[in-house]
């Protein structure tokens, strides 16, 4: 006699088939209605991997990917109905941020890419704002999940270590904590020294292993998701612009600006897992620093300003890991722009404003002096900063620095004095 089927498990394909067929319809009203229904079913937990996944059926685990792909494919380009575009954004946001659907790897990238393309395709400012807000919420959710997973793993590791130490203490005390006074002091000291030695060995091993990490060695699936998204955004920000000054409404420029804005949001909202993990430090060196070296010399003010903002975030959170990269950015971009007569006043003004933020942190200024000017193998960053800001504060070479009017001259002198 065959066992009765588990009432909790549902045939996902049959359940979802009507909505999928409606999404394939060419009629915008039908597509919008299907997407709206999917969004509500997901939001209220009626579509959940807990209902669809059968531990004995690997194919059931593909439903979450199939769901994401079905919704994303409803957007087919700029010609897609605007109402459909909005419903796609709402559905994808619910799918990715829901605790009932698990979207990872390529499916997550597809969701991000679709929202990104909707932003680029839309000419309506409200829809662009909606797409951008959706992207920000998705990224915040993905990175917060990674931070939470890493924090829980660290807490669990600490608990295991504390339990092990407690067990060792119980064993050394004969199974009773009250017998600690009967323990030979020399044995107690030896035990402490042994624990310290083991801890040092663990730290050395972890340090050695971190140097050998590859991009495929992730602590959890959320960490991999965050890496893939970060790498994709960096690559998008490095795409070249058309020759000459591009149209502000062009896809290429809007894509570059959006990718830089999203990267800045990730760094500003990132937690300990993002700022300390070797995988992300390596990704910043390999991808983001290269992107900044390209965009940091852009004549487009918004691109240049975003590059400076990203540099300040790196200087604030990653200065211990990016000493050589920070030196290059100061020398090749910041200082060169201030000292060159060919740079525009707007570029110089943005650099001065960035330096103002840096100089507001006294420890940051000290760190620049100690790490670069006091290092015989590094450039005298602090010395050059003081020299160029002194000239600006005194009004010397102001017009050569790009000031085109008396008001700009006065403003630059005030800034130079405040930074000095």
């Amino acid at each position: 006699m065959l066992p009765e089927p588990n009432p909790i498990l549902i045939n996902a394909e049959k359940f979802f088939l009507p909505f999928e067929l409606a999404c394939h319809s060419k009629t915008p009203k039908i597509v919008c209605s299907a997407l709206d229904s999917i969004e509500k079913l997901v939001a209220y937990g009626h579509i959940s991997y807990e209902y669809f996944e059968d531990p004995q059926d690997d194919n059931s685990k593909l439903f979450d990917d199939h769901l994401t792909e079905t919704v994303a494919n409803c957007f087919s380009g700029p010609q897609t109905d605007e109402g459909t575009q909005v419903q796609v954004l709402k559905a994808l946001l619910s799918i990715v941020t829901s605790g009932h659907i698990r979207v990872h790897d390529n499916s997550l990238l597809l969701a991000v890419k679709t929202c990104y393309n909707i932003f680029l395709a839309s000419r309506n400012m409200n829809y662009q704002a909606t797409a951008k807000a959706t992207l920000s919420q998705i990224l915040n959710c993905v990175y917060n999940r990674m931070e939470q997973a890493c924090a829980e793993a660290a807490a669990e590791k600490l608990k295991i270590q504390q339990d092990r130490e407690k067990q060792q203490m119980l064993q050394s005390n004969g199974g009773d904590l009250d017998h600690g006074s009967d323990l030979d002091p020399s044995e107690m000291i030896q035990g402490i020294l042994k624990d310290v030695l083991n801890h040092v060995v663990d730290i050395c091993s972890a340090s050695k292993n971190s140097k050998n990490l590859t991009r495929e060695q992730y602590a959890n699936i959320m960490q991999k998701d965050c890496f893939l998204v970060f790498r994709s955004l960096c690559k998008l920000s490095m795409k070249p612009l058309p020759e000459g000054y591009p149209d502000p409404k062009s896809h290429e420029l809007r894509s570059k600006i959006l990718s830089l804005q999203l990267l800045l949001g990730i760094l500003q909202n990132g937690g300990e897992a993002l700022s300390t993990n070797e995988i992300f430090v390596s990704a910043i060196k390999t991808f983001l620093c290269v992107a900044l070296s390209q965009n940091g010399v852009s004549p487009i003010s918004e691109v240049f300003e975003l590059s400076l903002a990203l540099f300040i975030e790196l200087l604030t959170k990653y200065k211990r890991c990016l000493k050589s990269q920070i030196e290059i950015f100061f020398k090749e971009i910041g200082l060169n722009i201030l000292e060159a007569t060919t740079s525009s006043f707007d570029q110089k003004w943005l650099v001065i404003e960035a330096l103002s933020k840096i100089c507001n942190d006294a420890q940051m200024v000290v760190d620049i002096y100690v790490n670069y000017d006091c290092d015989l193998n590094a450039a005298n960053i602090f010395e050059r900063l003081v020299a160029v800001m002194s000239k600006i504060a005194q009004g010397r070479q102001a017009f050569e620095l790009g000031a085109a009017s008396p008001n700009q001259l006065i403003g630059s002198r005030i800034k130079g004095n405040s930074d000095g």
Side-chain angles (χ1 to χ4, degrees):
M1 184 176 180
L2 294 175
E4 295 183 2
N6 189 335
I8 296 180
L9 298 176
I10 301 174
N11 188 313
E13 297 299 328
K14 290 182 179 180
F15 175 86
F16 186 64
L17 183 58
F19 300 101
E20 182 181 5
L21 293 175
C23 287
H24 291 163
S25 168
K26 301 297 183 180
T27 307
K29 288 186 178 180
I30 296 178
V31 176
C32 285
S33 179
L35 290 171
D36 183 58
S37 299
I38 292 172
E39 189 273 330
K40 287 181 170 60
L41 288 170
V42 172
Y44 290 102
H46 298 304
I47 296 182
S48 172
Y49 68 86
E50 296 174 346
Y51 301 149
F52 300 133
E53 287 193 0
D54 183 351
Q56 298 179 353
D57 183 6
D58 292 335
N59 291 328
S60 66
K61 299 178 182 180
L62 301 176
F63 176 73
D64 294 344
D65 297 334
H66 182 55
L67 171 66
T68 306
E69 183 178 353
T70 300
V71 172
N73 287 341
C74 289
F75 173 75
S76 56
Q79 72 279 3
T80 305
D81 174 71
E82 289 185 339
T84 300
Q85 293 182 30
V86 173
Q87 291 297 337
V88 169
L89 292 172
K90 291 173 61 178
L92 288 177
L93 178 62
S94 290
I95 289 171
V96 175
T97 60
S98 170
H100 305 286
I101 304 295
R102 300 186 294 189
V103 182
H104 301 293
D105 290 347
N106 292 331
S107 292
L108 175 62
L109 291 178
L110 176 61
V112 172
K113 178 182 177 182
T114 302
C115 297
Y116 197 97
N117 288 337
I118 290 176
F119 172 87
L120 296 178
S122 177
R123 294 297 180 181
N124 186 303
M125 297 297 293
N126 291 329
Y127 292 158
Q128 289 180 21
T130 301
K132 184 178 176 181
T134 301
L135 277 169
S136 297
Q137 292 180 65
I138 287 176
L139 295 184
N140 285 338
C141 176
V142 171
Y143 279 84
N144 286 339
R145 283 175 177 172
M146 188 266 292
E147 294 284 349
Q148 182 179 356
C150 291
E152 290 174 354
E156 182 64 23
K157 184 177 180 180
L158 178 61
K159 182 178 182 300
I160 292 173
Q161 181 180 353
Q162 291 174 340
D163 290 343
R164 186 187 303 117
E165 292 174 353
K166 182 177 179 181
Q167 185 64 28
Q168 291 174 351
M169 184 65 73
L170 284 170
Q171 293 175 356
S172 61
N173 292 344
D176 191 346
L177 289 174
D178 294 335
H179 293 167
S181 58
D182 298 333
L183 188 65
D184 187 345
S186 62
E187 293 181 2
M188 182 179 292
I189 293 174
Q190 289 179 359
I192 294 174
L193 290 175
K194 183 178 179 181
D195 290 340
V196 171
L197 180 59
N198 289 336
H199 182 61
V200 171
V201 170
D202 290 341
I203 293 176
C204 293
S205 298
S207 176
K208 181 178 180 181
N209 291 336
S210 67
K211 294 179 181 179
N212 297 325
L213 276 175
T214 65
R215 292 184 306 206
E216 300 303 321
Q217 294 175 310
Y218 307 100
N220 50 62
I221 187 63
M222 280 74 77
Q223 193 178 82
K224 183 178 180 182
D225 289 339
C226 291
F227 172 84
L228 293 175
V229 170
F230 187 87
R231 183 181 64 180
S232 297
L233 291 175
C234 287
K235 290 183 176 181
L236 285 170
S237 72
M238 287 187 279
K239 286 191 173 183
L241 296 175
E243 293 184 4
Y245 199 90
D247 181 356
K249 296 181 179 180
S250 67
H251 280 205
E252 294 86 355
L253 180 55
R254 292 171 59 222
S255 174
K256 183 179 287 290
I257 291 174
L258 178 60
S259 59
L260 291 172
Q261 289 172 337
L262 294 174
L263 286 168
L264 181 60
I266 289 173
L267 292 187
Q268 289 176 335
N269 299 321
E272 184 178 357
L274 182 67
S275 60
T276 60
N277 188 275
E278 180 66 22
I279 287 177
F280 293 111
V281 172
S282 177
I284 288 172
K285 291 179 180 179
T286 306
F287 303 109
L288 184 56
C289 287
V290 175
L292 291 185
S293 68
Q294 295 179 9
N295 295 307
V297 294
S298 174
I300 302 170
S301 295
E302 193 168 1
V303 173
F304 184 68
E305 187 174 7
L306 285 167
S307 300
L308 288 176
L310 282 163
F311 172 69
I312 292 175
E313 287 297 318
L314 294 183
L315 184 61
T316 304
K317 298 180 179 179
Y318 298 90
K319 56 187 174 183
R320 295 182 180 179
C321 312
L322 305 174
K323 182 178 178 180
S324 61
Q325 289 83 1
I326 290 172
E327 178 185 7
I328 291 172
F329 196 93
F330 264 120
K331 286 169 47 183
E332 305 298 331
I333 298 178
L335 288 169
N336 272 358
I337 285 175
L338 287 178
E339 295 169 345
T341 58
T342 56
S343 304
S344 68
F345 177 80
D346 289 339
Q347 285 182 316
K348 290 180 171 64
W349 184 256
L350 289 172
V351 172
I352 293 173
E353 287 189 324
L355 291 176
S356 296
K357 295 177 182 178
I358 295 172
C359 293
N360 285 335
D361 186 344
Q363 185 60 48
M364 187 81 70
V365 177
V366 173
D367 290 340
I368 291 173
Y369 177 75
V370 171
N371 288 315
Y372 299 102
D373 293 62
C374 294
D375 186 343
L376 296 178
N377 297 318
N380 292 335
I381 302 296
F382 181 81
E383 179 184 355
R384 288 180 64 184
L385 283 174
V386 171
V388 71
M389 297 309 296
S390 297
K391 290 180 180 179
I392 295 174
Q394 295 169 15
R396 296 166 57 193
Q397 299 178 345
F399 287 100
E400 287 79 359
L401 288 172
S405 69
N407 288 335
Q408 290 179 343
L409 170 61
I410 294 171
S412 64
R413 291 184 64 179
I414 292 173
K415 272 291 185 182
N417 275 309
S418 64
D419 294 347

